[in-house]
Amino acid sequence: MRILFNQKFKFTAFISTLLVVSLINKQPIQQQQIVKNLSLSQIGNSPIEELSHDLSTQKPSNINVKNNEKSIFYSVINEWKKYQYSVHSQQVLKAGKLPNTQINFNQADLLTVLTNTKNYFQKYSTEDPNIQRTGILVTQGVTVKDILKTLDFMITVLEEDIANNRTTRLQDPNFINANFRVIKWSAHNPENPQQKKLRITKYAAFIHTGSRQKTSKYNTPVYAIKEELNQDKFYTKYTKQDVLSGIYEAGGKEFGKVKPIAYLTRNGLEAALMQGTVLVNFTDGTKEFLNVDRNNGISYVRGLKATAQKRYWYFKEVDAIKGYGYKIDAKISIKAGVTFAGDVLNIGLGRIIVIEDNQSGQKRLKMGVIADTGGAFLPNLYQLDFLAGTFASERDFQRYIQKLPEYTNAYILVKK
């Protein structure tokens, strides 16, 4: 009887197992696939190791990126490297093709920014792990080495064309379509799901009159942290409002830890904090570029008016308009007209961007490099900030940017 009972039990268990497997196979795949980002310790050759991990087993799953056989989700992070949300890669990136329209840019300026960005990768890839992230382009099979190859190729082409005194081939959309993967970038804005085109905001280095000493008119200090206190994190304890209340002035509890490098109007300070760079015409006849150095660790809050923001930046004197960099002395020197500020963690530093400009009924294309960033772009998969230039007034700036698109089609170029 015992033997007979065991045989019946085995047969019943076998039938039950078949039914369970059958039911499982008929269920839709609901397991979310999460894209991991590149290791922060090294630049990888292959994106496959970054791709999804089965959430139940934590073992790499088989995903064919090229054919997109499975749903691939990318995990978006904020500036503190904290997970924010996941987005389906096909909502953001798809294979595309540039329109048959000449691409406009200043050849020498683009070459400068490309070269400076490439040099940043070469010098600081160990010190700055953020630039080793592939970001959402990993879902397209793109690696950081592909980005470096793209920069190298474009630099070579520009150098050859400039040396031969000819219009560069990089302005020819047919050359671009033949030599580059063109990846169309559609906006993903969690707060506005209807937005499909990328928003293009504009920024500039404004020229402000200022003083080296505090006066009744120029009474708002721009501070630099003293070199000997660079490792001290005292400045992370204070909001912008704390700073402007006088904590660093004579009699303040932190007097002596920073030095004023300029005095502006309050509006001048807010412009400098927002734009990141300001050209100060001092009342003594000298001029100086000031660029943001480090902040107090408080996030920028979208939608909150500038004077109410608690985020505060300390500045340093620089020799040009500066873009991205993990420290002030390493920041990339950038040029107007060919530089975008964007999300360097989720899109990436050094990505080549082409945008459409359909103003005046004519389709035009502009090319630039993501070589800058800011708190408003971390995270941000729906917006870029275009460096428009240096302007003497807000009115001049507004007049100029009225010619530029507010929303546009955008493409990312990767060398084939």
Side-chain angles (χ1 to χ4, degrees), residues 79 274 300 302 311 342 373-380 382-383 385:
E79 65 179 309
M274 179 61 67
Y300 175 87
R302 292 192 189 98
R311 188 184 187 95
T373 191
F377 300 96
L378 299 168
N380 193 321
Y382 59 86
Q383 179 183 359
D385 214 5

Side-chain angles (χ1 to χ4, degrees), residues 142-373:
V142 176
T143 68
V144 175
K145 286 193 174 181
D146 292 324
I147 301 304
L148 296 176
K149 182 173 71 173
T150 302
L151 294 173
D152 281 336
F153 179 75
M154 296 187 82
I155 289 169
T156 299
V157 171
L158 274 169
E159 287 177 338
E160 290 176 356
D161 293 340
I162 291 173
N164 287 284
N165 197 30
R166 65 191 181 202
T167 300
T168 179
R169 290 160 285 175
L170 297 180
Q171 290 186 281
D172 181 359
N174 295 318
F175 180 84
I176 296 297
N177 287 326
N179 289 277
F180 294 84
R181 290 179 59 191
V182 179
I183 301 171
K184 191 172 187 300
W185 175 5
S186 297
H188 177 76
N189 185 349
E191 297 178 4
N192 181 14
Q194 302 307 312
Q195 180 185 338
K196 300 304 177 185
K197 291 188 174 183
L198 221 64
R199 186 182 180 200
I200 305 296
T201 50
K202 296 87 185 173
Y203 71 116
F206 283 96
I207 302 171
H208 288 276
T209 303
S211 174
R212 294 193 182 274
Q213 287 80 38
K214 188 174 185 178
T215 69
S216 58
K217 182 176 182 179
Y218 305 111
N219 55 14
T220 307
V222 177
Y223 287 121
I225 297 171
K226 290 185 175 180
E227 292 294 330
E228 61 270 23
L229 296 175
N230 265 341
Q231 303 305 315
D232 191 337
K233 299 294 184 180
F234 67 91
Y235 56 88
T236 62
K237 297 186 291 184
Y238 303 112
T239 66
K240 177 169 66 175
Q241 290 72 27
D242 292 331
V243 172
L244 297 181
S245 73
I247 60 170
Y248 296 126
E249 298 297 302
K253 63 180 178 179
E254 297 290 0
F255 177 64
K257 288 191 174 180
V258 301
K259 60 180 180 179
I261 54 177
Y263 288 91
L264 305 176
T265 63
R266 177 62 189 272
N267 287 339
L269 174 68
E270 294 297 347
L273 292 173
M274 179 61 67
Q275 305 299 337
T277 302
V278 61
L279 176 59
V280 180
N281 283 341
F282 289 102
T283 53
D284 63 5
T286 60
K287 296 182 179 181
E288 196 96 60
F289 273 113
L290 306 181
N291 194 88
V292 290
D293 179 12
R294 62 195 66 193
N295 64 58
N296 57 357
I298 298 175
S299 296
Y300 175 87
V301 180
R302 292 192 189 98
L304 187 65
K305 64 180 182 179
T307 53
Q309 294 284 347
K310 294 183 178 181
R311 188 184 187 95
Y312 181 80
W313 282 94
Y314 297 82
F315 284 73
K316 193 171 183 178
E317 299 97 330
V318 293
D319 58 2
I321 301 177
K322 297 293 182 178
Y324 176 82
Y326 84 101
K327 64 178 182 177
I328 187 66
D329 296 329
K331 287 183 181 290
I332 299 169
S333 293
I334 54 179
K335 296 283 188 178
V338 291
T339 300
F340 293 101
D343 186 340
V344 296
L345 296 181
N346 297 294
I347 298 297
L349 181 72
R351 279 40 172 182
I352 308 301
I353 306 295
V354 175
I355 62 171
E356 292 183 16
D357 178 357
N358 296 323
Q359 297 278 316
S360 306
Q362 293 184 335
K363 182 174 290 187
R364 296 174 294 181
L365 300 176
K366 293 182 182 295
M367 181 186 291
V369 189
I370 296 181
D372 201 358
T373 191

